[in-house]
Amino acid sequence: MNQVIRARYVLAHSEGSHVWLENGYVAHSDGVVTEVGTGTPASTAPVLDLGETVLTPGLIDLDALVDIDHLILDAHHSTEHARSLVGSVEHWRDRPADVLTPRQRDTLRRFGLAQLALHGITTYMPIASEIHLEWNESADELRRLADLTREWGLRGYLGPSYRSAVGALDDDGRTFVERPERGEAGLDAALEFADELAENDDDLVRPVLLPCRIETLTPELMERTAREAARRGLLVRLHSLQQPWEREVVLQRHGVTPLDLIERTGLLNDRLLIPHALWTDRNSQLTGPGGVDLARLAGAGVSVVHCPLTIFRYGDVLETFNDFLEAGVTMALGTDSFPPDLVRGMDVGLHASRLLHGHGSVSLGDYMEAATTGGAAALKRPDLGRLEVGASADLSAFSLDDFRDGVVEDPLRTLVLNGTARNATHTFVAGRPVVTDGALPGVDLVELRKRAQEVFEELRRGYSERDGLHRPVEALFPPSFPVRGAQSPEPRQG
């Protein structure tokens, strides 16, 4: 497909950095950018004029929720109450089971993927809540997700997650149910899936290894993950360095810090992506201002996936985004929860950092770099995250023509301060349209949302089934205000 896309504001790439072009255009042919500029293009391809729009490189989300249930159920309660939702030892030891049927899981995936697309994301690496699963994600489910990714035209880095243990509650508090053999079987399935994707050699769907949180893995499983990733040249994403509880658990179980365990098992290298890296020696709650951990991450070439909106909702802030950048750590962005809105994430990340550390602690431009070129660097994809000749024609368009968007000062500041990722109107992946006029062509979003709500009610009920105290849903998730008169309204007469 050959096309010229015009927009009032184009975030182009020149001499190693983003630059604004006013009344600019991007021309592409066969999935590759052929021109970026202002004035009259050399291309004679059909023109799509998006008007009062910010046209950016396609946004990259490396901790993308392709799911429904996350944070909305546990972020609005006390920490202790949230921890109590993990399920009882009896459940995980004696009767673990999938909450949803395969068809319901398919609805969940479709809903999550549609949300990513409609929020301007063109490249994603999925995260899903394993708490509703019998144990690991299945490779068959990821195969279906790969097919859907291709069908809709998004770019995905996929793999089933796997773990050796699951967090659970007993009479003494939080503990683990151990099943090391389940972790090994999960990695076997993940490697089989990765080999299938590698053999297919489809640029839209690439394999990656996605073990669960570090405290749910045995050192042996981490070592094997490192060996197999090196053998196949695969990226590995490992949720770690997240919180003090994780650090305490790893120290108790293995006698070293999480970062030391990562290094000892061979995972500390330039193929590793770490969400969220909050708990390093730069964190003032740990040792005060430091930097040794950041130097270790940078020296190894590790990429950090920062999820500012999600961590802020849990009451945390990265200390600090600029410190990571100045140390030389590759910084990418993720959403991790609903909504998958990187624009709101940039807004929250910027202002939370300013509140704690002052106005010079981070710049909005750095956040946009993380959502584009930073994500591309983490993926080893210099053809992504930038609008310049030779890059892949992955683009995201955000309208500023609504009266409620206000007046335009700087295009990025106006979008982030006045809008959200719901301003997205169009996206393109390798030149192919994915979102058009704010919709996914061929997808009945009304019906999908209805089915997703039904699935969500099943997910909520699953918490009661796992709960050691057998509490009903209403007790686990009390409403913000008392509910009165829940009956359906009487039909209107006449």
Short mmCIF file of all heavy atoms in Angstrom, two decimals, residues 289-326:
data_model
loop_
_atom_site.label_atom_id
_atom_site.label_comp_id
_atom_site.label_asym_id
_atom_site.label_seq_id
_atom_site.Cartn_x
_atom_site.Cartn_y
_atom_site.Cartn_z
N PRO A 289 19.91 7.92 48.44
CA PRO A 289 20.41 8.06 47.07
C PRO A 289 21.66 7.23 46.83
O PRO A 289 22.64 7.30 47.56
CB PRO A 289 20.69 9.57 46.95
CG PRO A 289 19.77 10.19 47.95
CD PRO A 289 19.69 9.22 49.10
N GLY A 290 21.56 6.39 45.83
CA GLY A 290 22.69 5.54 45.48
C GLY A 290 22.86 5.55 43.98
O GLY A 290 22.66 6.55 43.33
N GLY A 291 23.18 4.43 43.41
CA GLY A 291 23.35 4.39 41.97
C GLY A 291 24.11 3.18 41.49
O GLY A 291 24.27 2.98 40.29
N VAL A 292 24.57 2.35 42.43
CA VAL A 292 25.32 1.15 42.03
C VAL A 292 24.44 0.22 41.21
O VAL A 292 24.86 -0.32 40.18
CB VAL A 292 25.88 0.42 43.26
CG1 VAL A 292 26.54 -0.89 42.86
CG2 VAL A 292 26.89 1.31 43.99
N ASP A 293 23.19 0.03 41.66
CA ASP A 293 22.28 -0.84 40.93
C ASP A 293 22.02 -0.32 39.53
O ASP A 293 21.96 -1.09 38.56
CB ASP A 293 20.96 -0.98 41.68
CG ASP A 293 21.08 -1.81 42.95
OD1 ASP A 293 22.14 -2.43 43.14
OD2 ASP A 293 20.12 -1.81 43.74
N LEU A 294 21.85 0.99 39.40
CA LEU A 294 21.60 1.56 38.07
C LEU A 294 22.80 1.36 37.16
O LEU A 294 22.64 1.06 35.97
CB LEU A 294 21.26 3.05 38.18
CG LEU A 294 20.08 3.45 39.07
CD1 LEU A 294 19.68 4.90 38.78
CD2 LEU A 294 18.90 2.53 38.86
N ALA A 295 23.99 1.51 37.72
CA ALA A 295 25.20 1.28 36.93
C ALA A 295 25.28 -0.18 36.48
O ALA A 295 25.70 -0.47 35.34
CB ALA A 295 26.44 1.66 37.73
N ARG A 296 24.87 -1.10 37.33
CA ARG A 296 24.88 -2.52 36.96
C ARG A 296 23.88 -2.79 35.83
O ARG A 296 24.18 -3.52 34.88
CB ARG A 296 24.54 -3.39 38.16
CG ARG A 296 25.61 -3.40 39.23
CD ARG A 296 25.14 -4.12 40.48
NE ARG A 296 24.98 -5.56 40.26
CZ ARG A 296 24.46 -6.38 41.17
NH1 ARG A 296 24.03 -5.90 42.32
NH2 ARG A 296 24.37 -7.68 40.91
N LEU A 297 22.69 -2.21 35.94
CA LEU A 297 21.69 -2.39 34.89
C LEU A 297 22.17 -1.80 33.57
O LEU A 297 22.06 -2.43 32.52
CB LEU A 297 20.37 -1.72 35.31
CG LEU A 297 19.64 -2.32 36.52
CD1 LEU A 297 18.46 -1.45 36.90
CD2 LEU A 297 19.18 -3.74 36.23
N ALA A 298 22.71 -0.59 33.64
CA ALA A 298 23.19 0.06 32.41
C ALA A 298 24.37 -0.70 31.81
O ALA A 298 24.43 -0.90 30.59
CB ALA A 298 23.59 1.50 32.71
N GLY A 299 25.29 -1.14 32.66
CA GLY A 299 26.46 -1.85 32.16
C GLY A 299 26.11 -3.15 31.47
O GLY A 299 26.79 -3.57 30.51
N ALA A 300 25.05 -3.79 31.93
CA ALA A 300 24.62 -5.05 31.32
C ALA A 300 23.73 -4.83 30.10
O ALA A 300 23.46 -5.79 29.38
CB ALA A 300 23.86 -5.89 32.35
N GLY A 301 23.28 -3.59 29.88
CA GLY A 301 22.41 -3.31 28.74
C GLY A 301 20.95 -3.64 28.98
O GLY A 301 20.17 -3.79 28.02
N VAL A 302 20.55 -3.75 30.25
CA VAL A 302 19.16 -4.07 30.59
C VAL A 302 18.24 -2.91 30.24
O VAL A 302 18.62 -1.74 30.36
CB VAL A 302 19.05 -4.40 32.09
CG1 VAL A 302 17.60 -4.53 32.55
CG2 VAL A 302 19.84 -5.66 32.42
N SER A 303 17.03 -3.22 29.82
CA SER A 303 16.00 -2.21 29.58
C SER A 303 14.99 -2.25 30.71
O SER A 303 14.60 -3.33 31.17
CB SER A 303 15.28 -2.47 28.25
OG SER A 303 16.18 -2.41 27.17
N VAL A 304 14.57 -1.08 31.17
CA VAL A 304 13.55 -0.96 32.21
C VAL A 304 12.24 -0.51 31.58
O VAL A 304 12.23 0.43 30.78
CB VAL A 304 13.98 0.02 33.31
CG1 VAL A 304 12.81 0.41 34.21
CG2 VAL A 304 15.11 -0.57 34.13
N VAL A 305 11.15 -1.19 31.92
CA VAL A 305 9.83 -0.84 31.42
C VAL A 305 9.09 -0.11 32.55
O VAL A 305 8.66 -0.73 33.53
CB VAL A 305 9.04 -2.08 30.98
CG1 VAL A 305 7.70 -1.67 30.38
CG2 VAL A 305 9.85 -2.90 29.98
N HIS A 306 8.98 1.18 32.41
CA HIS A 306 8.35 2.03 33.42
C HIS A 306 6.85 2.11 33.15
O HIS A 306 6.44 2.39 32.03
CB HIS A 306 8.99 3.42 33.36
CG HIS A 306 8.46 4.40 34.34
ND1 HIS A 306 8.02 4.06 35.59
CD2 HIS A 306 8.31 5.76 34.25
CE1 HIS A 306 7.62 5.15 36.24
NE2 HIS A 306 7.78 6.18 35.45
N CYS A 307 6.04 1.87 34.18
CA CYS A 307 4.58 1.89 34.07
C CYS A 307 4.03 2.94 35.03
O CYS A 307 3.51 2.61 36.11
CB CYS A 307 4.00 0.51 34.37
SG CYS A 307 4.68 -0.82 33.35
N PRO A 308 4.16 4.23 34.69
CA PRO A 308 3.90 5.28 35.68
C PRO A 308 2.48 5.35 36.20
O PRO A 308 2.27 5.61 37.39
CB PRO A 308 4.28 6.57 34.93
CG PRO A 308 4.28 6.20 33.48
CD PRO A 308 4.64 4.76 33.41
N LEU A 309 1.48 5.13 35.35
CA LEU A 309 0.10 5.23 35.81
C LEU A 309 -0.23 4.14 36.81
O LEU A 309 -0.83 4.39 37.86
CB LEU A 309 -0.86 5.18 34.61
CG LEU A 309 -2.35 5.31 34.92
CD1 LEU A 309 -2.65 6.62 35.63
CD2 LEU A 309 -3.17 5.22 33.64
N THR A 310 0.17 2.92 36.52
CA THR A 310 -0.13 1.81 37.41
C THR A 310 0.57 1.95 38.75
O THR A 310 -0.05 1.79 39.81
CB THR A 310 0.27 0.48 36.75
OG1 THR A 310 -0.57 0.26 35.63
CG2 THR A 310 0.14 -0.67 37.71
N ILE A 311 1.86 2.25 38.76
CA ILE A 311 2.56 2.32 40.04
C ILE A 311 2.06 3.49 40.87
O ILE A 311 2.02 3.42 42.11
CB ILE A 311 4.09 2.37 39.85
CG1 ILE A 311 4.53 3.64 39.14
CG2 ILE A 311 4.58 1.13 39.12
CD1 ILE A 311 6.04 3.84 39.14
N PHE A 312 1.64 4.57 40.20
CA PHE A 312 1.10 5.71 40.95
C PHE A 312 -0.20 5.32 41.64
O PHE A 312 -0.47 5.72 42.78
CB PHE A 312 0.87 6.88 40.00
CG PHE A 312 0.41 8.14 40.69
CD1 PHE A 312 1.29 8.87 41.46
CD2 PHE A 312 -0.89 8.59 40.55
CE1 PHE A 312 0.88 10.04 42.10
CE2 PHE A 312 -1.31 9.75 41.19
CZ PHE A 312 -0.43 10.47 41.97
N ARG A 313 -1.02 4.53 40.97
CA ARG A 313 -2.27 4.09 41.58
C ARG A 313 -2.04 3.18 42.78
O ARG A 313 -2.88 3.09 43.67
CB ARG A 313 -3.13 3.37 40.53
CG ARG A 313 -3.75 4.33 39.53
CD ARG A 313 -4.51 3.59 38.47
NE ARG A 313 -5.38 4.47 37.71
CZ ARG A 313 -6.13 4.09 36.69
NH1 ARG A 313 -6.12 2.82 36.31
NH2 ARG A 313 -6.89 4.95 36.06
N TYR A 314 -0.91 2.51 42.80
CA TYR A 314 -0.54 1.71 43.97
C TYR A 314 0.25 2.52 45.00
O TYR A 314 0.77 1.97 45.97
CB TYR A 314 0.26 0.49 43.55
CG TYR A 314 -0.57 -0.63 42.98
CD1 TYR A 314 -0.44 -1.00 41.65
CD2 TYR A 314 -1.49 -1.30 43.77
CE1 TYR A 314 -1.21 -2.04 41.12
CE2 TYR A 314 -2.26 -2.33 43.25
CZ TYR A 314 -2.11 -2.69 41.93
OH TYR A 314 -2.88 -3.71 41.41
N GLY A 315 0.38 3.83 44.74
CA GLY A 315 1.02 4.71 45.71
C GLY A 315 2.52 4.76 45.61
O GLY A 315 3.20 5.03 46.61
N ASP A 316 3.09 4.53 44.41
CA ASP A 316 4.53 4.52 44.28
C ASP A 316 4.96 5.41 43.10
O ASP A 316 4.16 5.74 42.23
CB ASP A 316 5.05 3.10 44.05
CG ASP A 316 6.38 2.83 44.73
OD1 ASP A 316 7.12 3.80 44.98
OD2 ASP A 316 6.67 1.67 45.02
N VAL A 317 6.23 5.79 43.11
CA VAL A 317 6.81 6.63 42.06
C VAL A 317 8.23 6.15 41.82
O VAL A 317 8.94 5.77 42.77
CB VAL A 317 6.84 8.12 42.48
CG1 VAL A 317 7.49 8.97 41.40
CG2 VAL A 317 5.43 8.63 42.77
N LEU A 318 8.66 6.14 40.57
CA LEU A 318 10.04 5.76 40.25
C LEU A 318 11.00 6.85 40.72
O LEU A 318 10.78 8.03 40.46
CB LEU A 318 10.18 5.56 38.74
CG LEU A 318 11.54 5.06 38.25
CD1 LEU A 318 11.76 3.62 38.69
CD2 LEU A 318 11.62 5.16 36.73
N GLU A 319 12.07 6.44 41.40
CA GLU A 319 13.09 7.39 41.86
C GLU A 319 14.40 7.15 41.10
O GLU A 319 15.13 6.23 41.42
CB GLU A 319 13.33 7.23 43.36
CG GLU A 319 12.10 7.52 44.21
CD GLU A 319 12.45 7.56 45.69
OE1 GLU A 319 13.54 8.05 46.03
OE2 GLU A 319 11.65 7.10 46.50
N THR A 320 14.71 8.00 40.22
CA THR A 320 13.85 8.83 39.41
C THR A 320 14.10 8.47 37.96
O THR A 320 15.15 7.90 37.62
CB THR A 320 14.10 10.34 39.60
OG1 THR A 320 15.36 10.67 39.02
CG2 THR A 320 14.05 10.75 41.04
N PHE A 321 13.15 8.81 37.11
CA PHE A 321 13.26 8.53 35.68
C PHE A 321 14.56 9.11 35.13
O PHE A 321 15.29 8.44 34.38
CB PHE A 321 12.05 9.16 34.98
CG PHE A 321 11.85 8.74 33.56
CD1 PHE A 321 11.11 7.61 33.25
CD2 PHE A 321 12.39 9.48 32.52
CE1 PHE A 321 10.91 7.22 31.94
CE2 PHE A 321 12.19 9.10 31.20
CZ PHE A 321 11.45 7.97 30.91
N ASN A 322 14.88 10.35 35.49
CA ASN A 322 16.10 10.98 34.99
C ASN A 322 17.35 10.26 35.46
O ASN A 322 18.34 10.17 34.72
CB ASN A 322 16.16 12.44 35.44
CG ASN A 322 15.53 13.37 34.42
OD1 ASN A 322 14.84 12.92 33.52
ND2 ASN A 322 15.76 14.66 34.58
N ASP A 323 17.34 9.75 36.70
CA ASP A 323 18.52 9.04 37.19
C ASP A 323 18.82 7.81 36.33
O ASP A 323 19.98 7.50 36.06
CB ASP A 323 18.32 8.62 38.65
CG ASP A 323 18.39 9.80 39.60
OD1 ASP A 323 19.12 10.75 39.31
OD2 ASP A 323 17.70 9.77 40.63
N PHE A 324 17.77 7.10 35.95
CA PHE A 324 17.96 5.94 35.09
C PHE A 324 18.54 6.36 33.74
O PHE A 324 19.46 5.72 33.22
CB PHE A 324 16.64 5.20 34.91
CG PHE A 324 16.26 4.30 36.05
CD1 PHE A 324 15.71 4.81 37.21
CD2 PHE A 324 16.47 2.93 35.98
CE1 PHE A 324 15.37 3.99 38.27
CE2 PHE A 324 16.13 2.09 37.03
CZ PHE A 324 15.57 2.63 38.19
N LEU A 325 17.96 7.42 33.17
CA LEU A 325 18.46 7.90 31.88
C LEU A 325 19.92 8.33 31.98
O LEU A 325 20.75 7.99 31.13
CB LEU A 325 17.60 9.06 31.38
CG LEU A 325 16.18 8.74 30.92
CD1 LEU A 325 15.46 10.02 30.52
CD2 LEU A 325 16.18 7.76 29.75
N GLU A 326 20.22 9.10 33.03
CA GLU A 326 21.59 9.60 33.18
C GLU A 326 22.59 8.48 33.44
O GLU A 326 23.76 8.59 33.08
CB GLU A 326 21.64 10.63 34.31
CG GLU A 326 20.93 11.93 33.95
CD GLU A 326 20.74 12.85 35.14
OE1 GLU A 326 21.26 12.51 36.24
OE2 GLU A 326 20.07 13.87 34.99
#
